[in-house]
Amino acid sequence: MKEQGLKTRSIRLATAILIGLAASAAQAADVEVKDAWVRGTVPGQQATGAFMRITSQTDTAIVGASSPVAAVTEIHEMRMDGGVMKMRALTRLPLAAGKTLELGPSGYHVMLIKLRQPLRKGDSIPLTLHLERPGNTMESLEIKAEVRDLAAGTVGEHKSH
């Protein structure tokens, strides 16, 4: 009898875990990333940018990012201010429900700083976006970004990093 109760509890626990995983996958499924890419680098270059189009079906925010290819990964904004292009790190980048946000070379983007190796055209790098979901739930979204030619999207190049 004791063994039967243990089996029942184990089955219930396994079922609860599977339901939790399914719910997590459903939440991740409503955030879509397209055309993720990273600008290639030359030996000794310490920073580059990652770009993509991202759409969420619910109000969400990007609150960070990480990648094993960089010691520091930040969300950045570039914008014109009084005729001067300015860049700053953001702690939170809202994603409005149903709207696509373009992360590009001269706007919002992910900055990869203190690169651990050169990034060569044709490579693919892992990148994790840290999301704040409805109800202040935190979630990570793993993506792969294609490394493109180092001259790709040279408008608004980061010279100060």
Side-chain angles (χ1 to χ4, degrees):
M1 191 71 166
K2 199 174 195 180
E3 188 176 313
Q4 183 73 359
L6 185 57
K7 276 186 180 179
T8 302
R9 278 187 284 214
S10 294
I11 291 171
R12 285 184 183 154
L13 178 60
T15 302
I17 289 170
L18 289 174
I19 289 170
L21 289 173
S24 175
Q27 285 183 341
D30 77 346
V31 177
E32 182 178 42
V33 173
K34 290 185 177 179
D35 302 322
W37 65 280
V38 175
R39 185 177 297 123
T41 64
V42 296
Q45 185 175 335
Q46 289 296 300
T48 192
F51 316 101
M52 66 203 74
R53 292 187 330 223
I54 184 167
T55 308
S56 176
Q57 298 308 309
T58 58
D59 287 335
T60 299
I62 302 172
V63 294
S66 57
S67 177
V69 302
V72 178
T73 308
E74 299 176 338
I75 307 302
H76 278 203
E77 172 189 38
M78 286 185 63
R79 62 184 170 86
M80 291 299 289
D81 184 9
V84 177
M85 183 66 80
K86 293 191 175 183
M87 181 184 60
R88 67 183 178 116
L90 302 174
T91 57
R92 189 172 206 284
L93 179 59
L95 301 171
K99 302 209 184 222
T100 299
L101 181 64
E102 180 87 25
L103 277 66
S106 59
Y108 298 116
H109 56 278
V110 177
M111 209 52 213
L112 301 165
I113 305 167
K114 296 185 182 176
L115 295 172
R116 295 187 167 107
Q117 74 228 17
L119 305 180
R120 293 183 181 87
K121 180 180 176 182
D123 289 347
S124 179
I125 65 145
L127 184 63
T128 303
L129 298 177
H130 305 290
L131 307 173
E132 183 181 324
R133 309 286 285 159
N136 294 327
T137 304
M138 300 306 288
E139 183 176 321
S140 294
L141 178 62
E142 307 284 331
I143 62 173
K144 293 281 186 189
E146 169 198 8
V147 178
R148 294 187 182 169
D149 187 74
L150 63 101
T154 56
V155 175
E157 184 76 28
H158 285 73
K159 302 278 187 209
S160 62
H161 287 289

